[in-house]
Amino acid sequence: MSLDWIYWAISWILLKWHSAWDALGVGTALGTSWDWILAIVFLVVTLRVVLFPVFVKQIKSQRAMQALQPQVKALQDKHKGDRETLQKEMMELYRKEKANPLMGCLPMFLQIPVFIGLFHVLRRLDPAKNPELYGWTSEQFSSAVKATLFTAPIPGKFGSSADELTRLGVNSGTTVKIIAGVLVLIMMVTTYLTSRQMILKTGWAEDPQQKMIQRLMLYGIPISLLVSGAIFPIGVIIYWVTNNLFTLGQQQWVLRKFPPPPMANTGSSRTGGSSTAASRRNGTATKSPVQPAKGGLLGRRKPAAETEPAKPVIDGKALAPKPGAKPANPKKGGGAKPPAGGAKPPTAKPPAKRQG
């Protein structure tokens, strides 16, 4: 399958933004071709605006997955050790509740073709290649080849060979390696922060498949960039960093405006004791979930927060007989406590011994 349509689309958006900034008089300053840098930045903005509805669906899917976490946990406990049955039950649960565990990765998957397209377009910014391709003119191609970020050419890479740097008009590759190396580190950090931000707000998934995806995005992708970043052109790294910063801001806005629902399995065990104690001090204790009693009459349930009633303090004076009243006969009433105040309790005959 040919990807030329992606290369044409990326080139068209990039050239349109460059023409716009060039028309506004944005030029070169501090060794940086700001018209081309801003063209790459606003390529990201264009993409994120187009994908915003998909991002909203991603948030809704994550909310649905959070709401299902208690049921997922119950299935895990029920089918512990039977992974095949567990997967079937969870797939049936997702189908019934119309939740898709892969929806959280959809925006990232949709951005992969854009990344591939930009990577291909910037890699061909070489004077030895055909300039008039994917709608570029010779003038635009020559301007992009000479575009720089702090004197480092944006088609250059950390792993560029001496011949490649010579064709780009660079005498020493030290500056290119420094700029590219710093950008790769920033790319790794921002990629980690985007995943960490979402996980801290929504919590770790109970579903093993979802949890594996979370770990891959949090640790696996940033570590892989340490190696793959060496072959990325500086312009591609600028795109990646800008996309991460945009994602951080977008996620922060969405999480503040639509906070995730509180989950029973995230943080409740750590904060439950302190919140209960605080509510008791403030006199605002709430009812706790009903738990089965270990004993009790007919196995009846009682609230977990209720404590056993304290034994009443016996007032001896209140139990003392009134003046003139006959003392209780232990045979009839049985179990009367001796009166206080030194009064002599009535004597009872010992019970007759049983024969045989």
Side-chain angles (χ1 to χ4, degrees), residues 144-205:
V145 169
K146 297 176 182 178
T148 56
L149 175 66
F150 301 118
T151 71
I154 61 174
K157 307 180 291 291
F158 184 88
S160 292
S161 64
D163 292 340
E164 290 175 339
L165 294 176
T166 301
R167 290 197 299 269
L168 293 174
V170 178
N171 297 325
S172 174
T174 304
T175 303
V176 176
K177 290 185 182 299
I178 292 175
I179 298 298
V182 171
L183 286 175
V184 168
L185 293 177
I186 296 174
M187 178 174 61
M188 292 173 61
V189 172
T190 53
T191 300
Y192 170 79
L193 291 177
T194 54
S195 299
R196 181 175 180 269
Q197 180 189 50
M198 185 61 70
I199 292 174
L200 287 179
K201 291 291 185 180
T202 60
W204 287 95

Side-chain angles (χ1 to χ4, degrees), residues 5 9 20 71 100 108 123 134 142 151 158 160 197 207 243-244 248 251 256 276 280 308 322 329 335:
W5 67 273
Q71 298 181 55
N100 188 352
M108 183 183 69
R123 281 196 66 181
Y134 308 132
S142 176
T151 71
F158 184 88
S160 292
Q197 180 189 50
D207 181 6
N243 187 59
N244 286 344
L248 283 170
Q251 287 182 168
R256 282 187 177 182
T276 304
R280 285 177 179 174
E308 294 294 334
K322 296 181 180 180
N329 190 343

Side-chain angles (χ1 to χ4, degrees), residues 16 33 41-42 60 83-84 119 170 189 228 267 317:
K16 285 296 181 182
S33 304
V41 170
F42 277 81
K60 290 182 178 180
R83 187 174 182 83
E84 183 178 354
F119 180 82
V170 178
V189 172
S228 59
K317 293 183 179 180

